[in-house]
Amino acid sequence: LFVFSLNVASFQLSSGDSPGMDPKKWITFKDLHDRVTQLLSTKLNPCNIKQCKSKLDILNKCSYYLEVMRQDTLHQPDPQQNYLSNSTILHLIDPWKFQRMKKLGHSQVQIQLSLLEELYEQFCKGKVEMEAIASQSDYGDQEVAHINGRIAHLIKAFTDFDSTLMPGELHTKHRLISETGNAKVPQIHLRLSVKMPVMFDTSRSEALADCARLHWEMAGQEQQEPGEQFEIRYKLLQPTNTEEGNQLGTVTCNSYCIQVNNLLPQRCYEFTVKRADACCLVYGFWNDTMVLRTMPLSPGGFTGSQEKRRRLFPW
């Protein structure tokens, strides 16, 4: 950042007389030059571009879901009359239409992530372009119009990047729920919701001789009761025989930690964690991966857990 500030400073111009240039042209040049250097020191500064990259990386790792938004009538005499819960509404939605909306949601997420990737590339190229423009000592008449257009384009790109970060509503031409007898079905619409990625807590996860204790968390969120299930996969790396090849498995749990037992000592295992698939999931391929090496057996042939128990209760 310090080096960058020096580079920007080197682009600054004095407010004195024009260096052998027509005064009117000098004013145009200086005003435009100031706009370029301001863009370099604000939106196109390395810290801001790095933050955009971090947001993009997180969004690529997030899970995206269809969320049912209800439009219940609030002016009924008895709000409990003909009441239907969200779980009931999901069962009433036409399965074929729901799968179609999931495909639509999947496509929308893909398009949004691709657009964000393209906008980020524009930021990187725009930074290089603006630095080259800022180092020039004169702009031709045609260049002035081009530079003004490029500045406006980059500013709009940053606005588009921020607006694209928010999942949007999904529109459908037909009713998702048909009338069912006397029960009045509320009007609903669907939108995309996003959940932060699940990541291993490498500082707390550990491997003993015969087991691994795994901890994970949701990026950027405080630890609370998860209220959802997670899927953990494990496998032995580089097995040497058929029996070792069976050292793999999948377990699910509804907490932020688990212990995987019956592992071999002094071997490397690969662990992955992700949210368990749900009926409303439309996009979420990423899972966090970690490799742990189990410890050797302690003297006397005790495993890690047995050795700990022996120390606590030596009899």
Side-chain angles (χ1 to χ4, degrees), residues 10-13 21 26 29-30 32-33 36-37 128-140 143-144 146-147:
S10 68
F11 296 144
Q12 301 298 322
L13 300 173
M21 190 184 298
W26 166 250
F29 167 75
K30 185 178 181 304
L32 186 55
H33 189 278
V36 172
T37 54
V128 175
E129 182 183 6
M130 289 298 115
E131 286 176 342
I133 291 173
S135 65
Q136 294 179 220
S137 58
D138 188 12
Y139 304 141
E143 282 186 294
V144 170
H146 172 74
I147 294 170

Side-chain angles (χ1 to χ4, degrees), residues 233-237 268-272 289-292:
R233 295 176 182 265
Y234 68 94
K235 67 177 179 179
L236 174 67
L237 298 179
C268 290
Y269 285 83
E270 180 184 85
F271 302 92
T272 63
T289 302
M290 175 177 62
V291 175
L292 293 176

Side-chain angles (χ1 to χ4, degrees), residues 63-170:
S63 301
Y64 297 83
Y65 296 82
L66 280 185
E67 183 179 357
V68 178
M69 305 297 294
R70 301 181 55 181
Q71 297 174 326
D72 292 312
T73 304
L74 300 179
H75 304 291
Q76 292 181 352
D78 183 3
Q80 296 300 321
Q81 186 177 3
N82 298 329
Y83 174 79
L84 293 173
S85 65
N86 285 336
S87 60
T88 303
I89 290 177
L90 283 175
H91 284 92
L92 291 174
I93 294 177
D94 184 292
W96 183 83
K97 292 180 180 178
F98 189 70
Q99 290 300 319
R100 188 174 180 180
M101 294 305 295
K102 286 181 66 174
K103 291 181 180 179
L104 178 62
H106 180 91
S107 299
Q108 182 167 315
V109 173
Q110 280 187 317
I111 292 171
Q112 286 181 298
L113 292 177
S114 297
L115 176 59
L116 289 171
E117 292 274 5
E118 182 181 335
L119 291 172
Y120 173 74
E121 291 178 2
Q122 290 183 28
F123 301 157
C124 297
K125 293 178 181 178
K127 178 178 180 297
V128 175
E129 182 183 6
M130 289 298 115
E131 286 176 342
I133 291 173
S135 65
Q136 294 179 220
S137 58
D138 188 12
Y139 304 141
D141 293 337
Q142 292 184 346
E143 282 186 294
V144 170
H146 172 74
I147 294 170
N148 277 318
R150 291 296 297 138
I151 292 175
H153 177 82
L154 286 168
I155 292 175
K156 183 179 184 302
F158 276 97
T159 302
D160 291 343
F161 188 89
D162 291 335
S163 63
T164 308
L165 289 174
M166 299 300 296
E169 183 176 342
L170 294 176

